[in-house]
Amino acid sequence: AGLRRAGDKAASNIAQLLTNADAAVRARGAEAAGGLRQTTLATKALSDTDASVRAQAVESLGDILAQANSVRTALTTLATSTDATAQE
């Protein structure tokens, strides 16, 4: 429960960063959204008026997708492997 509250607080802080008047701060918020795998917040940053914020949002979403794909690939290998070594 403690980790969930910490994650919720972090997401709330990122959401506040995304509303800051300074585009550099909003871009850092978009970057942080990717680091915390917050797809909703990273997607929100795609509609920012500043191109650098949108670019960071795209990069963050790409990172999230790459990580998810890596996990999916590892799980598929684990689920379909008959070799005990591969399942480790």
Side-chain angles (χ1 to χ4, degrees):
L3 286 177
R4 171 172 237 153
R5 283 193 302 269
D8 291 346
K9 183 162 179 59
S12 175
N13 290 338
I14 292 170
Q16 288 178 354
L17 291 175
L18 293 175
T19 62
N20 193 287
D22 185 346
V25 173
R26 294 194 311 273
R28 296 291 273 177
E31 180 181 12
L36 289 176
R37 308 292 182 240
Q38 290 285 336
T39 56
T40 302
L41 293 173
T43 301
K44 178 183 176 189
L46 288 174
S47 62
D48 196 275
T49 57
D50 188 89
S52 66
V53 177
R54 293 191 307 270
Q56 183 58 59
V58 168
E59 186 174 331
S60 291
L61 286 166
D63 290 346
I64 293 168
L65 180 59
Q67 178 68 24
N69 190 43
S70 175
V71 169
R72 182 189 58 78
T73 300
L75 288 174
T76 299
T77 300
L78 177 63
T80 59
S81 177
T82 58
D83 180 9
T85 303
Q87 291 180 349
E88 294 177 356

